[in-house]
Amino acid sequence: IKFQSSVSCWGYFSVGANGGIHEYADSQFGHIFAHGTTREEARKVLMLSLRNIDVVGTNRSPIEYLVELLGTNSFIGNTIDTSWLDGLIKAKS
């Protein structure tokens, strides 16, 4: 994983020195956090960081889908809840 932390966005990952995912990691092998003076600023920082992350290997990564979710009107307007995400997942299947 290649990820460049910044003042407004940082992350940590369960990846060992050899590049493999740590044996005790669950399906969430990394976490990224963003902040800004507003929710919108933090959202944009997170989108930029996700676009610049590089995950190499055989593991599937939801990065493109996350960027897509962060750009939806529902997410931007903060009118989301778990049923919103469930609905999106159901619509894709």
Side-chain angles (χ1 to χ4, degrees):
I1 293 177
K2 292 181 184 176
F3 177 76
Q4 182 64 47
S5 291
S6 68
V7 173
S8 298
C9 193
W10 65 98
Y12 64 88
F13 305 91
S14 298
V15 178
N18 65 354
I21 295 175
H22 191 278
E23 65 184 286
Y24 299 110
D26 61 11
S27 61
Q28 297 179 354
F29 64 88
H31 297 271
I32 299 174
F33 305 90
H35 71 92
T37 55
T38 64
R39 184 177 188 276
E40 178 64 8
E41 185 179 303
R43 184 188 70 84
K44 288 179 179 179
V45 167
L46 182 56
M47 287 181 73
L48 179 63
S49 293
L50 287 172
R51 286 184 177 126
N52 289 319
I53 194 171
D54 188 19
V55 179
V56 179
T58 58
N59 292 324
R60 291 181 41 203
S61 166
I63 293 171
E64 290 177 12
Y65 187 59
L66 292 172
V67 171
E68 182 182 323
L69 290 178
L70 290 168
T72 64
N73 289 332
S74 296
F75 193 92
I76 292 168
N78 198 22
T79 59
I80 59 171
D81 57 25
T82 54
S83 64
W84 169 78
L85 184 56
D86 290 341
L88 291 176
I89 292 169
K90 184 177 180 180
K92 281 200 174 248
S93 60

